[in-house]
Every structure is written in structure tokens, then in C-alpha cells.
Amino acid sequence: MKDIAEELGLSVVTISKVLHNHPDISAKTRERVLKHVEARDYQPSMLGRSLVTGNSFLIGLVVPDLLHPFFAEVAKALSLAVRGSGYSLIISSSEEDPGLELQEMRQLLSRRIDAIVVASTATSGEAFQRMHRNNERVLLIDRKFPIEGGAFVGVDDVAAGRLATEHLIQVGCRNIAHIGGRENSTGLDRLEGYRQALLAANLPFSPKNVIHRTRVDTNSFGEGAAAARLLLSRKVQPDGIFCYNDPLAIGAMHVLLEAGVRIPEDIALVGCGNLHYDNSLLVPLSSIDQKSSEIGRVAGDIVLKMIANKEKNNGETVVLSPSLVVRASSRRGSAKATAKTAKAK
């Protein structure tokens, strides 16, 4: 910056303000500096900047699986939200292993990152409670724990389970199964929404109709397929299935179609995530939109606020409302259901 300032006859402060997009620099000066910076291929020293500001300008993101489309969309939106403020993401996968998740978080924190965003695969919030007590900037997304003062961004999972099940009931399903997730907040809350919808419609809730899967993020297709085979082996088969996520539903769909089951005539199918597989499926999948991009955007805004305000944890919680997107896998021609969800198409 000193070299550039000398070459242009400006102060180092002016150069610094231009490079940090400060508003009190004239457009003419800004353009002159940026052209010169580009010509010199100048790259600011992040280490030097960190020593001056005390910030690393790095944000960690730990998710259960890097290939899962939901987490990919969240990561993309989160990166976009923080990039304009000069921050970069370090992304890590826990592979649905709580032990590996803890190890990855410790490694990220050892790098002195400014904040960490986690979609946890753990069933206990003990590690996050400890991080909270140690004044680490931690934001939970998608999966939450009852941590006083902890920050969280996600969707209303009870509402998600209820929306999916109500839709299956509206199109005529009466024996609805649920291929569920792990015993974390998302899995338990979507199960609760499923249960509430059945009871509200005076339909029986039976634990036998719930098949829990454990590898719902890293082996979703295989787990969904195995669950569908189990349901088809039963004497009384379901006429509707609500799946914890879209990849589980796709795995189930392949097994159902291979067995000659007509979707949705014999069994209607609804997933969760709305992950835009539509063009690659034999039967386009109805799904609950989890607002993945919105989760990433809001998460970015919250962590930047934490860092700017020098707050380790601000306790901000944002719960987004899910919506139903109806496609061929559950469209049985019900006028009531079609009318209710037409705007979601």
C-alpha cells in the first residue's frame, strides 16, 4: 500500500479506505486507485490485516456431508453472504460421525476463525454448551439444542412434517408411513409433525409405520431403498410415505418403481428439502421446501453481526416457515389439494 500511495501521490490511509470500500472516498479517486491496483496485481496480506484487526476473516462451516445438495445450497448462500465483507469459508464434513464432528470443530477453532457455523450430527448439545461457556462464536443451523443464549437458524420442522402428512391425507392416503431420520431435533420434530397431522385427521399413529434411518445424509439413497423394501414386505402396505429428506425419498422411489408400484396411484410419496432433482427423476418428487438458501443467507448475516459487534453469542434465533411443493409423486387429481398448493409450483 505504501508503494501504491507513493506512485499515485496519495496517503496510505486513502489507499486503505479504497481497498476496504470505505464510503468517504470520491468516485474519481476510487477508480484511479483500483485501476492502479489491478495493473500491479496487488493482493492484500490477510495475515497483516489479521494482526491489525484481531480477526482472521475466516468462518468455519461443518456439515454432515459435503455432497448432500441441501448443505451445498446452504454453503453457497452462506459464502455469498459473507464474501462481500471480506470473509471466506473453511468447509468441513463430519460424515455423520459425532466424534469426527467434534474433532473438525476443534481444528477449526485452533485456526482462530472468527465464527463457526455447524449443522450438527450429534444427539447431545454438550460440546456446544461448552463452546458457548468458552465464549466461542457458534451458530447452529438446521439442527438445534436447548442451549441458553445460543444462536440458531433453521426451518420449523414440526410444520414441515405436518404439511407433508396433511397433503398425503388430502389426496386420499389413509395408511401413511414415515421414513424418519436420526434422533436429533430435525428427525424428532418432523416425526412429531407427522404424528400431529394423523391424529388431527382421526387417523391412527402407529410406531410400526415409522422406520428410523441413521445414515440419512451420507447414505440416503441406500437407507431409503432399504426402508421401502421393508414397507413392501409387510402384509398391509402403506398408500402414502413421507420421507425425512429428498434423497431418502428418491431411494425409496427406485425400489417402489422396480417392484411395479404405481406412484402416486398405489403409493404417494413426499420428501423434504425441495432439492431440484425434478428433471432427473422418473416421477417428479413432491417435497417440503426447507428454504436452504435462506438459511445460508440469514446465517451469514448473523455471524457477521456477531463479529462486528464483538459478541461471542447473541442468542439470535430465526425459524423459517416451510412450504409444500406438489409434483407428480403425490398428485392424485385431488382438486382440494391441487388448489391449495398451486402457488407452490
Side-chain angles (χ1 to χ4, degrees):
M1 286 195 293
K2 287 181 180 179
D3 290 342
I4 294 171
E6 290 178 4
E7 290 163 5
L8 295 179
L10 299 170
S11 69
V12 174
V13 172
T14 298
I15 304 302
S16 178
K17 285 185 175 182
V18 171
L19 295 176
H20 293 95
N21 203 26
H22 202 279
D24 66 354
I25 300 295
S26 71
K28 184 178 179 180
T29 299
R30 185 183 306 278
E31 182 180 7
R32 183 182 171 211
V33 171
L34 291 177
K35 280 185 177 180
H36 196 73
V37 164
E38 184 178 1
R40 285 179 117 265
D41 195 23
Y42 168 80
Q43 298 294 327
S45 168
M46 295 306 297
L47 178 59
R49 190 179 176 193
S50 296
L51 291 172
V52 172
T53 64
N55 291 339
S56 66
F57 296 94
L58 296 173
I59 294 171
L61 173 64
V62 181
V63 295
D65 181 47
L66 295 176
L67 298 179
H68 194 299
F70 171 75
F71 297 114
E73 289 188 13
V74 169
K76 180 179 179 180
L78 174 58
S79 178
L80 184 62
V82 303
R83 188 183 302 152
S85 298
Y87 284 83
S88 299
L89 282 185
I90 298 179
I91 306 175
S92 180
S93 172
S94 67
E95 303 298 326
E96 286 193 280
D97 180 344
L100 180 58
E101 175 180 291
L102 184 58
Q103 178 182 324
E104 292 296 315
M105 289 192 298
R106 284 173 174 167
Q107 288 183 354
L108 287 171
L109 290 171
S110 72
R111 293 172 179 261
R112 312 310 304 166
I113 60 173
D114 295 323
I116 186 168
V117 180
V118 185
S120 180
T121 194
T123 55
S124 166
E126 181 181 349
F128 298 98
Q129 187 70 65
R130 189 162 56 248
M131 291 165 66
H132 190 71
R133 287 196 300 266
N134 292 337
N135 291 320
E136 302 287 358
R137 295 188 187 98
V138 182
L139 171 64
L140 292 171
I141 58 169
D142 189 47
R143 298 100 188 266
K144 60 183 181 291
F145 298 100
I147 299 173
E148 184 178 353
F152 169 76
V153 180
V155 75
D156 185 338
D157 287 300
V158 175
R162 192 167 53 240
L163 269 176
T165 310
E166 286 174 349
H167 170 63
L168 289 170
I169 294 169
Q170 288 164 1
V171 298
C173 299
R174 292 297 177 266
N175 182 28
I176 302 170
H178 175 47
I179 300 177
R182 298 167 63 92
E183 291 190 357
N184 54 22
S185 65
T186 49
L188 294 175
D189 284 356
R190 289 174 199 177
L191 172 62
E192 175 60 18
Y194 159 81
R195 188 188 70 85
Q196 288 181 9
L198 291 177
L199 297 181
N202 294 316
L203 293 175
F205 167 76
S206 172
K208 294 181 180 179
N209 273 344
V210 179
I211 301 178
H212 289 286
R213 303 285 87 182
T214 57
R215 308 290 291 182
V216 294
D217 293 315
T218 56
N219 188 32
S220 308
F221 299 114
E223 293 275 19
R229 290 189 191 99
L230 182 58
L231 290 171
L232 289 179
S233 71
R234 295 179 175 177
K235 185 175 181 180
V236 178
Q237 297 177 359
D239 56 3
I241 303 175
F242 160 50
C243 297
Y244 167 84
N245 64 21
D246 282 356
L248 282 174
I250 294 169
M253 179 184 291
H254 285 305
V255 167
L256 295 178
L257 293 174
E258 286 174 0
V261 173
R262 297 174 302 161
I263 302 174
E265 293 85 357
D266 300 326
I267 298 179
L269 192 63
V270 177
C272 190
N274 192 33
L275 298 178
H276 314 299
Y277 289 109
D278 197 40
N279 293 331
S280 62
L281 299 178
L282 290 174
V283 183
L285 180 65
S286 295
S287 186
I288 301 298
D289 191 338
Q290 286 180 258
K291 316 296 182 184
S292 53
S293 293
E294 186 71 359
I295 289 173
R297 184 193 66 77
V298 173
D301 291 344
I302 290 177
V303 293
L304 288 176
K305 194 184 306 180
M306 285 180 177
I307 296 167
N309 296 338
K310 303 300 181 182
E311 298 176 5
K312 299 299 183 182
N313 291 285
N314 63 2
E316 186 170 353
T317 294
V318 177
V319 179
L320 305 170
S321 297
S323 59
L324 172 67
V325 180
V326 177
R327 299 188 180 96
S329 70
S330 67
R331 190 178 287 125
R332 286 181 169 177
S334 166
K336 181 179 178 182
T338 303
K340 183 176 180 181
T341 58
K343 64 179 181 179
K345 286 177 62 182

